[in-house]
């Protein structure tokens, strides 16, 4: 990728770079941007001390899944989706009445993207605009996500984008545990069909539901987690909507994206 094109992508992400005299572009491109102007103090999503996090360039050991009660129920739900193809799975999602969200949705939001993609991007649930359009990550948050992907050399149509929930919770409230448990088998089957090399969980709620934990986003970042029976590598970063509210954390998101790219290259 040319230096001019990379600078354009980083500018779209809202990050600035220093051009250091005597230093090559390639060496600068692998470093986090140093010229991000502070926007004033603001609370940050899930920040926590980095003590105990895995080194950035070393894959963390796989974590044992946390025990939970309804595992047998989830296994049964997942089995109901086994063996379906993309069109059938989409039809099942569109007709789903497993939870009360079917009564308030405009339509289901199945997912979008390349069905053989190496990257799977997972958010928490559709918002109002996604509910209207039937596509995840549209509007300003979607535009920022597109810029984040371009910054690491990926176009939107080269990845697959989905949510933990396929229906919008009223008022954009957080998904309940029951809603996530009913909907997660659909995502698990999407993963089985997709066979991604890496999952990128954007936002605290998506990360905590996928990893079945209440650990803060700050402690989940910069580690390699694993999801599902196939143990797909999973990396956590900030949600684009959060970054629109807290642009000072875009630099940390950039570090997460580079880390995810490194992990994917090793798979």
């Amino acid at each position: 990728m040319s230096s001019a094109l990379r600078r354009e992508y980083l500018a779209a992400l809202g990050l600035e770079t220093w051009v250091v005299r005597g230093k090559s572009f390639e060496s600068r491109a692998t470093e986090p941007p140093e010229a991000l102007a502070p926007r004033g103090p603001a609370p940050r999503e899930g920040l926590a001390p980095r003590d105990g996090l895995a080194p950035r360039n070393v894959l963390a050991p796989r974590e044992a899944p946390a025990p939970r009660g309804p595992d047998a129920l989830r296994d049964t739900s997942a089995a109901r989706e086994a063996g379906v193809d993309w069109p059938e799975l989409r039809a099942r999602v569109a007709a789903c009445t497993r939870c009360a969200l079917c009564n308030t949705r405009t339509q289901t939001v199945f997912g979008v993207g390349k069905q053989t993609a190496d990257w799977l991007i997972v958010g928490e649930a559709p918002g109002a605009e996604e509910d209207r359009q039937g596509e995840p990550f549209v509007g300003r948050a979607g535009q920022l996500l597109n810029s984040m992907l371009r910054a690491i050399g990926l176009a939107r149509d080269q990845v697959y984008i989905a949510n933990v929930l396929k229906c919008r919770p009223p008022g954009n409230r957080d998904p309940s545990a029951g809603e996530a448990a009913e909907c997660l088998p659909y995502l698990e089957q999407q993963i089985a069909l997709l066979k991604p090399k890496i999952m990128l969980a954007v936002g605290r709620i998506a990360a905590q539901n996928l990893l079945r934990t209440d650990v803060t986003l700050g402690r989940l970042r910069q580690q390699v987690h694993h999801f599902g029976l196939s143990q797909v590598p999973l990396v956590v970063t900030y949600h684009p909507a959060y970054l629109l509210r807290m642009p000072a954390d875009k630099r940390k998101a950039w570090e997460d994206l580079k880390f995810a790219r490194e992990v994917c290259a090793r798979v």
Side-chain angles (χ1 to χ4, degrees), residues 169-227:
N172 291 345
R173 64 164 171 77
D174 292 351
S176 71
E179 291 162 351
E182 289 293 346
C183 216
L184 197 56
Y186 291 132
L187 179 64
E188 290 170 338
Q189 185 57 27
Q190 286 177 302
I191 294 169
L193 291 169
L194 187 65
K195 297 179 175 60
K197 287 185 177 180
I198 190 168
M199 295 172 62
L200 182 68
V202 293
R204 173 183 60 85
I205 295 172
Q208 289 179 343
N209 274 284
L210 292 172
L211 297 175
R212 293 181 289 169
T213 183
D214 59 0
V215 174
T216 63
L217 185 142
R219 287 192 176 274
L220 294 174
R221 290 179 56 246
Q222 294 291 293
Q223 297 189 66
V224 180
H225 309 276
H226 294 86
F227 179 81

Side-chain angles (χ1 to χ4, degrees), residues 106-159:
T106 301
Q107 59 185 314
T108 56
V109 181
F110 181 74
V112 67
K114 184 179 179 182
Q115 293 179 351
T116 57
D118 290 338
W119 286 67
L120 171 61
I121 316 299
V122 183
E124 60 190 72
E129 193 61 34
E130 288 82 359
D131 183 52
R132 283 190 290 269
Q133 297 189 31
E135 182 173 330
F137 285 93
V138 296
R140 293 181 64 216
Q143 292 169 9
L144 180 54
L145 176 63
N146 295 346
S147 295
M148 292 166 68
L149 293 172
R150 285 197 301 267
I152 54 171
L154 294 171
R156 182 181 175 98
D157 60 8
Q158 291 179 295
V159 305

Side-chain angles (χ1 to χ4, degrees), residues 11 40 55 57 65 68 74 110 117 122 129 152 154 160 192 227 235 239 254 264:
N57 293 326
R68 58 177 181 174
R74 285 192 59 249
F110 181 74
V122 183
E129 193 61 34
I152 54 171
L154 294 171
Y160 197 86
F227 179 81
V235 172
H239 195 286
W254 170 237
C264 186

